[in-house]
Amino acid sequence: MATAIDSDQKLHLVFGGELQDLDGVRFRDIKNLDIVGIFPDYATAQAAWRAKAQATVDSAQTRYFVVHLHRLLEPQVP
């Protein structure tokens, strides 16, 4: 059975929403965050992030982020 340490998956979460202000990362309504998905590698996550960011370019308050889940799951692995 493979462990998380043995896995070569580099999971990434893409999500976003409307920020309270442009100077921070505090969401206006966390119940309505847009969870785009979890992706198997950074390149795929970046493509999803880029598509969502470009689709919301007219909304200055809306931001999307890529979270490196693999770093949270395996903090000792670079």
Side-chain angles (χ1 to χ4, degrees):
M1 178 177 194
T3 65
I5 302 297
D6 297 331
S7 174
D8 62 350
Q9 292 180 336
K10 300 292 184 193
L11 298 177
H12 293 78
L13 166 67
V14 178
F15 77 101
E18 188 176 353
L19 300 177
Q20 286 184 355
D21 61 63
L22 297 177
D23 295 327
V25 185
R26 188 166 182 86
F27 293 98
R28 186 175 307 276
D29 183 5
I30 60 171
K31 291 181 182 178
N32 287 317
L33 288 178
D34 181 13
I35 308 299
V36 179
I38 296 175
F39 300 89
D41 55 56
Y42 182 75
T44 307
Q46 184 181 35
W49 167 82
R50 179 167 288 141
K52 291 303 268 188
Q54 288 176 347
T56 59
V57 71
D58 291 333
S59 175
Q61 296 288 110
T62 302
R63 294 284 195 276
Y64 281 85
F65 301 90
V66 176
V67 177
H68 299 265
L69 291 179
H70 63 94
R71 291 182 184 166
L72 298 173
L73 297 171
E74 303 173 15
Q76 70 280 10
V77 177

